[in-house]
Structures are given as C-alpha cells and as structure tokens.
Amino acid sequence: MYNTNGIRKHTFSFEVFPPKQSTSFENIKRVTDSLIKLNPDFISVTYGAGGTAKDNRTVEVCKLIANSGKSKPVAHLTCIGSTKSEIDEILAALSAIGVKDILALRGDRNPNVTQKGDFEHAVDLIYYIKSKMGDKFNILAACYPAGHNESANQKEDILNLKKKVDAGVSALITQMFFDNEEFYRFRDIAEIAGINIPIEAGIMPITNTRQIEKVISLSGASMPTRLTKLIAKYGNNDNAMFDAGTSFATSQIVELLSSDISGIHLYTMNNPAVAENIYGQVKGLLEV
C-alpha cells in the first residue's frame, strides 16, 4: 500500500474521525474532500463504535473516501468490545465497499464498554482476520515510541509488537510523539528486535491548549522544552497557537524526513487547514 502515487519516496497520510451518530455528515464530507485534494497515500478513519455494521460511521466515512476514486481509506478496527460475529459483520461491510486496508487495534479499556471476551489484544484480532480472510485485507498496526502505557517496560512492549508483526502486519503507524529522538530510539530498538517493516511517524500538531491534556494522557509522550515554551507563550491566543503548533509539527516532519523515515501520518483532528498548511511546506521534501 506504500507510495501508491508513484512520485513520493516517503508516504504522507492523514487520520480523521467519524461524526457522532447525532451529527450530520456534511462537515466530514467537507473535511475528506479537502484532504483528498492533497493527494495523500491514504486516509485512516478512527473506529466509531456503536450501531450495526450497516450504520457504523467508520464504514460510512471509508465509503466517502473510496467513492472519490482519488484516495483510499484505511479503516481502524478495535476489538476489545466486540464479539467475533460483530467483527465478521464489520469486515463484510468494509469488503463490500472496497476497503482493503485495516488498522487493527485493541481499543482503549473503558469501564462503560463491556469486554466481550473474544479478543484481549490487537494480536488476537490480527490472527483472527488472517485466519478468516487470508490476504483479503492488508493489516497495519499501532506502535508506541514512548512505550504502551500498560506495558511493564519497553522490552515487553517491543516483544508484544513483534508478535503483531509476526502475525501478519505489513506496516506500523506510531502513536503521536513530540520528541524525534524518542522515535529514533524506538526505531533502532525495533530493528534490533527484527521488526523490519515500514514505520510511519504519527504527528499531532498542537493547535490549541484544549488538546494538550488529552494528548498526553493518550500517548504518554514527553513534551520537549521547546514545545512547552510555545504553549506557555501562545496558548491563550488561538491564532498564535495555531501558527506555533503547525510550525513545530512542520519542523518535526522536516527533521524526520531528513532521517529517511518511511512516512508521515498526520493526526488532523478533522481540521483540513492544519493539513493544508503543513503539507504545503513539506510536499517537495517527500520526493527526495
């Protein structure tokens, strides 16, 4: 699935999230239309749990992207709150609209969501899809430069990641990080462990202070001094924080691309202006 545009040497992709069931589809269509114009290698769609396979909004957003004929969707699929039959329904719905790529995830533990017991970890889902579908789906997985917050240590986390790769994963997308050195250390350790598939760096531009607490709790990523200074100085001014946050993310990406990474996966938060701003500054670097 990599470098399908035939021009770039590094992939460039986006993540979007589906609207809530009570929200119209008009805004997400505007978002995906804008992102598709930037010719991404793919657009990943986070998993919107709830509803049946017929009205699952991840499936619906993937269909929007697939029907454009100009980009391809990668469907996030979480398993901790699903039975095997429910996963079968979603897989059938995705297959019916032409989705061929899945980001297989466990999903966050949530006291309000019952764990069904069929799947405990993402690797269980990967094995299940492979056993049921063979190579019908290309499977990607997540990885964590700072280490998964439930792992005892990085060694345990890398061993678990190797299990996912050995189960049939073709590429990895990292959780967001803000310190490139953290990513390089992780990449080196993964390579030593025999993980030799492409690793796409997940970048989250911090464009408003409301994101910060949630981002840190989700990723466990460290905040470099340079970023904390930007937040302290510009955090109370939305326009200034947008400029500072996109500038920081762009500088991260420029430095990463110079280190021959496989690609960039931009967490857009459904804000195409962020993607347009950053892509406009790095698009020439993706070809070198």
Side-chain angles (χ1 to χ4, degrees):
M1 66 174 292
Y2 272 72
N3 295 318
T4 54
N5 52 51
I7 299 172
R8 300 186 189 123
K9 292 185 177 180
H10 311 272
T11 59
F12 199 77
S13 59
F14 303 120
E15 179 189 278
V16 299
F17 56 84
K20 295 178 180 179
Q21 293 288 339
S22 59
T23 308
S24 80
F25 243 64
E26 291 179 10
N27 185 60
I28 191 62
K29 188 175 189 311
R30 285 194 292 269
V31 170
T32 55
D33 285 349
S34 296
L35 295 179
I36 287 167
K37 290 177 182 176
L38 302 179
N39 191 30
D41 289 274
F42 62 88
I43 300 174
S44 77
V45 184
T46 64
Y47 189 66
T52 66
K54 292 182 179 178
D55 63 5
N56 182 283
R57 293 212 147 185
T58 298
V59 176
E60 292 182 62
V61 176
C62 284
K63 186 176 181 179
L64 275 179
I65 298 165
N67 285 349
S68 74
K70 297 177 181 177
S71 188
K72 67 176 178 178
V74 171
H76 291 217
L77 182 58
T78 65
C79 62
I80 196 168
S82 299
T83 63
K84 289 179 179 178
S85 62
E86 288 169 338
I87 292 295
D88 289 343
E89 285 186 24
I90 296 294
L91 291 175
L94 290 170
S95 181
I97 61 171
V99 173
K100 300 183 184 300
D101 301 284
I102 289 175
L103 179 60
L105 305 162
R106 184 197 70 183
D108 296 330
R109 297 189 189 277
N110 186 335
N112 299 317
V113 176
T114 303
Q115 297 180 31
K116 303 294 179 64
D118 283 355
F119 304 95
E120 180 64 23
H121 302 288
V123 69
D124 302 325
L125 176 61
I126 295 163
Y127 275 123
Y128 183 73
I129 295 172
K130 284 293 184 182
S131 68
K132 292 279 290 191
M133 301 290 182
D135 294 328
K136 186 169 187 176
F137 289 104
N138 176 56
I139 302 178
L140 296 81
C143 58
Y144 305 86
H148 194 283
N149 57 15
E150 293 180 23
S151 292
N153 50 55
Q154 189 170 48
K155 180 180 178 181
E156 179 183 274
D157 191 47
I158 290 290
L159 289 173
N160 289 333
L161 180 60
K162 184 67 163 61
K163 291 177 184 177
K164 290 194 285 189
V165 173
D166 291 345
V169 168
S170 66
L172 298 167
I173 297 176
T174 76
Q175 179 61 277
M176 63 197 76
F177 62 90
F178 305 99
D179 182 348
N180 287 355
E181 291 302 320
E182 191 172 74
F183 172 81
Y184 298 140
R185 286 192 295 271
F186 164 78
R187 183 179 64 174
D188 290 346
I189 294 169
E191 186 175 344
I192 291 168
I195 297 170
N196 297 309
I197 59 176
I199 302 175
E200 192 157 336
I203 301 297
M204 165 73 86
I206 300 293
T207 56
N208 64 74
T209 55
R210 295 180 295 278
Q211 294 173 275
I212 297 167
E213 185 176 341
K214 183 176 182 181
V215 162
I216 293 174
S217 66
L218 284 174
S219 68
S222 59
M223 302 283 275
T225 301
R226 179 168 159 248
L227 181 56
T228 57
K229 284 182 177 180
L230 292 178
I231 293 167
K233 183 170 180 62
Y234 303 116
N236 293 324
N237 183 314
D238 285 348
N239 289 335
M241 192 64 231
F242 179 92
D243 289 344
T246 53
S247 176
F248 181 88
T250 300
S251 67
Q252 253 195 291
I253 292 169
V254 169
E255 206 267 333
L256 286 164
L257 291 173
S258 73
S259 298
D260 290 328
I261 66 162
S262 298
I264 301 294
H265 189 61
L266 198 66
Y267 295 102
T268 70
M269 299 300 290
N270 287 17
N271 186 343
V274 170
E276 290 162 0
N277 182 303
I278 292 174
Y279 178 68
Q281 296 184 68
V282 305
K283 61 183 179 181
L285 306 181
L286 297 169
E287 301 170 11
V288 179

